[in-house]
Amino acid sequence: MAEAQTFSTAPATPRHRIEVLYSNAVDVWVAWLPQFQDATGRYPVLAPAERKVAADPARAATRVAIRTLLARYCGSTPADLRFKTGPFGKPELIDSPLSFSASRRCNLALIAVAAKGRLGVDLEISRPLPELDGICAMLHPAERALIANTPRARRKYLFYRIWTRKEAALKAIGTGLAFGLDGFSVVGEQICNRVAGPCLTAGAAPLALHDLTCGGNWLAAVATEIDAARPRLFALSPPETAQGDCS
């Protein structure tokens, strides 16, 4: 697998909005969630239905970070954005062609934004996996074989790379894990880092997969229909802070 990209620190600006709307750019932002939490628990930028998650500060902060970022791309305010959900619960913007996807682990979130097309992102933290062999049994045979033929010291890293790719692809097609993990492969020269086979609907473009990292034990991947240069990576800051933190 190719070397993963790492994040730089830069605030969202109108330039990002123009580039993502009028080019094939795909932007991925890392958000440090404590910066988006509301100590009062009110979260005024969220819709009434979204405020039901306020009891979970990390979930509520993720919603705020998503609205904060997308509003900058849409030239709107965070509270004015409207969303709908697909048949498997994937959120989509109303009255905007932008695609987005988000993933959260602990106090960190990734938010991917593209001008169009299917898009998915997944974030994981590398933890000890004593049950690795059992989890690998759920993967595609080609992926299981690759892990089995990898030196044991590298197997956990390879597993997380495969897992984040698969989750990103499943989020892009909108099903999540409901589709299953063993019906397609994200490794092997025959697919050239493109998701092939049954996870694509008739006539749909293949998904380009990109490995990402934001430091430490954090691993991530993004899946996009846009066949362009590798995603641009940034750290997201709320307006009142100077820069984000992806450590």
Side-chain angles (χ1 to χ4, degrees):
M1 288 188 175
E3 183 178 352
Q5 290 178 271
T6 56
F7 283 80
S8 63
T9 299
T13 67
R15 175 177 60 84
H16 293 119
R17 178 190 175 207
I18 293 172
E19 289 180 358
V20 77
L21 287 176
Y22 298 103
S23 74
N24 285 337
V26 176
D27 289 354
V28 182
W29 296 82
V30 60
W32 179 242
L33 295 178
Q35 294 179 338
F36 294 90
Q37 291 175 0
D38 183 345
T40 68
R42 296 174 182 172
Y43 294 98
V45 304
L46 300 183
E50 290 178 300
R51 292 180 194 138
K52 296 177 182 179
V53 305
D56 183 338
R59 288 182 65 191
T62 301
R63 301 287 183 91
V64 173
I66 291 170
R67 283 181 171 272
T68 299
L69 179 62
L70 294 181
R72 301 182 194 181
Y73 281 101
C74 294
S76 178
T77 63
D80 288 337
L81 296 177
R82 296 190 300 147
F83 299 87
K84 62 181 180 180
T85 56
F88 291 91
K90 182 179 181 180
E92 301 174 1
L93 276 168
I94 298 175
D95 300 326
S96 174
L98 286 179
S99 298
F100 76 96
S101 179
S103 182
R104 171 180 60 87
R105 290 292 180 272
C106 302
N107 281 325
L108 207 66
L110 288 188
I111 306 168
V113 185
K116 59 185 178 181
R118 296 177 299 174
L119 180 69
V121 69
D122 185 58
L123 172 68
E124 303 289 342
I125 184 169
S126 179
R127 305 177 185 274
L129 287 176
E131 70 281 18
L132 179 59
D133 291 342
I135 299 176
C136 288
M138 299 186 296
L139 301 179
H140 187 275
E143 297 162 344
R144 297 200 302 267
L146 180 62
I147 292 174
N149 292 324
T150 297
R152 184 166 293 275
R154 292 279 297 171
R155 288 180 186 175
K156 185 182 74 168
Y157 173 83
L158 180 59
F159 166 79
Y160 273 113
R161 281 297 176 208
I162 291 172
W163 185 271
T164 53
R165 283 182 167 205
K166 293 183 87 77
E167 285 249 33
L170 292 172
K171 287 183 177 181
I173 64 174
T175 65
L177 294 178
F179 181 85
L181 295 170
D182 60 352
F184 67 101
S185 173
V186 294
V187 301
E189 295 180 0
Q190 73 277 11
I191 61 169
C192 300
N193 290 343
R194 301 293 192 271
V195 176
C199 71
L200 293 179
T201 56
L207 294 171
L209 301 173
H210 301 278
D211 296 324
L212 313 172
T213 183
C214 48
N217 293 327
W218 298 94
L219 302 172
V222 62
T224 172
E225 281 186 342
I226 295 178
D227 188 12
R230 294 171 69 84
R232 303 178 305 172
L233 311 176
F234 305 96
L236 175 64
S237 303
E240 65 272 14
T241 62
Q243 62 182 26
D245 182 358
C246 57
S247 60

